[in-house]
Amino acid sequence: MAELLDRATARTYASWFRALADPTRVQIVEYLARQARPMSVGELVTAVGLAQSTVSQHLKVLTEVRFVLAEPAGTARLYRVNDACVDCFPSAADVVMGRPAPSPNGAC
């Protein structure tokens, strides 16, 4: 019988999948990745076409799992994709689908 994925790793992967379980959050991550630069909430509001409070709530979820990082910029915050976690995410999906786990690098 194959070895079961350890509980801590499963919990981490589940939190990532939950964070991306909303289409707007997927769009925000994809947009930030394509822009490849820190962006303000206002820029994301324009791109996504939702209210600022809604976009901010989605950004909160994404920053909690570190898919998105927030950087202070004066009194505002700029958001960008966390490249280290994005690099790990395809591996998480692969592991859940039964492919071998990559060696851990601690970046995610």
Side-chain angles (χ1 to χ4, degrees):
M1 182 172 171
E3 189 175 315
L4 186 64
L5 184 65
D6 70 90
R7 190 67 174 180
T9 301
R11 189 174 296 116
T12 297
Y13 290 173
S15 72
W16 293 354
F17 294 130
R18 266 192 312 276
L20 292 176
D22 182 282
T24 300
R25 290 194 288 268
V26 171
Q27 287 178 312
I28 289 170
V29 170
E30 187 271 339
Y31 188 73
L32 284 169
R34 277 192 301 113
Q35 298 307 306
R37 66 179 175 85
M39 300 184 75
S40 69
V41 173
E43 290 175 293
L44 293 168
V45 163
T46 300
V48 176
L50 297 173
Q52 181 271 329
S53 59
T54 302
V55 171
S56 292
Q57 184 59 35
H58 286 302
L59 287 168
K60 180 179 185 274
V61 171
L62 292 168
T63 58
E64 286 173 352
V65 296
R66 298 192 47 83
F67 273 140
V68 172
L69 301 175
E71 305 171 351
T75 59
R77 296 177 80 78
L78 298 178
Y79 296 87
R80 66 179 176 86
V81 166
N82 180 350
D83 293 326
C85 283
V86 172
D87 289 344
C88 292
F89 188 74
S91 296
D94 288 341
V95 169
V96 169
M97 297 309 292
R99 294 190 180 122
S103 55
N105 62 11
C108 304

